[in-house]
Amino acid sequence: MHQIESGLYQRRGKAVTNFAATLPQPQSDLAHELLKNPYNFDFLTLGESAKERDLEEALIRHITAFLLELGQGFAYMGRQYKLRLEGDEYALDLLFYHTRLRCYVVIELKAGDFKPEYAGKLNFYLNLVDDFVKAADDKPTIGMLLCRNTGGRPRVEYALRGIAKPIGVSEYQLTESIPDELKGSLPSIEDIENSLNDLAS
C-alpha cells in the first residue's frame, strides 16, 4: 500500500546512472530498477533550510520508514561509517548492504543542488569500500547521491561520464514545512513520539 500511495511505479528506474557502462548484465538492470527519482521523504518534518547532517539524523531516527522508501533488500550497516587511508579518516554518510544485488551501497546526502564534484567524491568512497570493506565474493559497490535538486539530466550525465564505478543520482522531496502562523499550535513529530513513549512507560 505504501508503494502504491507514494507513486512507486512513476518513480522507479528514473534516476540518472552510469550503471550500463559500469556493471555487468543483469546486475546493471537490477541496480537501475532499484533507484527511484525522486525519493519521497515526507515522513520527515524538515524545512527548506535543513542541512545535510539534519537530514541524515532525521532519516536514521525514522530508519523503518527510510528502508520502506528505499525498497526491498536494503540492510542498514551504519552512518558516518569511518574508513581510513594513509592516516586520514573519511566518513560515509550512510552505508547499506543490498541482499539481492549482493553489494554494498554508499548513500551520500546533499542538502542543496547537485554539483559535478560530488560524483568524484562518491567515486573515491566507492573505491575505499571496494578495497577495505567488500568481500571477495561481493559485487562492486554502488553509490547513490541524493540531492535536493539534480539541476537537470545533462549536467549529471556529464559528471558521471568516464567514471568507472556505478553511481546513481536522484532527487529527494520533503514535506512542505508548516506555515509560520501554525507552528506554535501544532506539535512536531518528535513531540508526538515523546508523548507516546511517555504513555508506554
Side-chain angles (χ1 to χ4, degrees):
M1 285 303 295
H2 168 75
Q3 302 296 5
I4 292 170
E5 290 170 0
S6 69
L8 174 65
Y9 179 75
Q10 290 87 7
R11 300 182 296 127
R12 174 174 276 161
K14 303 296 185 195
V16 182
T17 73
N18 65 353
F19 293 169
T22 58
L23 292 173
Q25 288 286 347
Q27 190 182 22
S28 60
D29 291 338
L30 290 171
H32 187 73
E33 284 302 307
L34 155 89
L35 297 189
K36 306 169 189 172
N37 190 33
Y39 282 86
N40 185 357
F41 297 158
D42 63 358
F43 51 87
L44 304 179
T45 55
L46 298 175
E48 294 286 330
S49 60
K51 304 282 189 265
E52 289 164 23
R53 186 57 59 101
D54 299 330
L55 178 62
E56 180 184 317
E57 289 174 358
L59 288 172
I60 297 308
R61 271 197 315 273
H62 301 282
I63 191 68
T64 302
F66 184 37
L67 287 170
L68 277 172
E69 178 59 17
L70 286 176
Q72 289 183 337
F74 281 92
Y76 174 65
M77 304 300 293
R79 69 180 276 236
Q80 292 300 304
Y81 193 92
K82 304 289 192 288
L83 293 171
R84 295 186 69 80
L85 179 66
E86 295 184 341
D88 292 325
E89 188 173 77
Y90 301 93
L92 315 179
D93 285 349
L94 299 168
L95 182 65
F96 292 86
Y97 189 85
H98 198 277
T99 58
R100 290 180 61 209
L101 293 175
R102 297 179 189 258
C103 69
Y104 285 95
V105 179
V106 176
I107 298 181
E108 282 294 299
L109 303 168
K110 298 298 175 189
D113 294 348
F114 171 80
K115 293 180 182 174
E117 55 264 31
Y118 295 160
K121 182 179 179 183
L122 184 52
N123 183 57
F124 174 74
Y125 288 163
L126 297 179
N127 284 314
L128 289 178
V129 172
D130 278 346
D131 285 355
F132 299 115
V133 180
K134 176 176 98 64
D137 57 343
D138 286 333
K139 304 289 189 215
T141 303
I142 293 173
M144 291 173 58
L145 188 57
L146 299 182
C147 301
R148 187 74 163 182
N149 183 7
T150 60
R153 189 175 191 94
R155 183 163 61 163
V156 176
E157 288 175 345
Y158 272 100
L160 296 181
R161 188 186 297 174
I163 291 181
K165 295 292 184 183
I167 296 175
V169 180
S170 293
E171 296 179 351
Y172 63 85
Q173 297 173 338
L174 298 173
T175 300
E176 294 300 318
S177 56
I178 299 170
D180 289 335
E181 61 271 11
L182 295 178
K183 281 185 180 173
S185 57
L186 294 175
S188 69
I189 295 295
E190 289 77 15
D191 292 337
I192 294 169
E193 287 175 345
N194 289 336
S195 298
L196 290 173
N197 288 337
D198 290 344
L199 287 174
S201 55

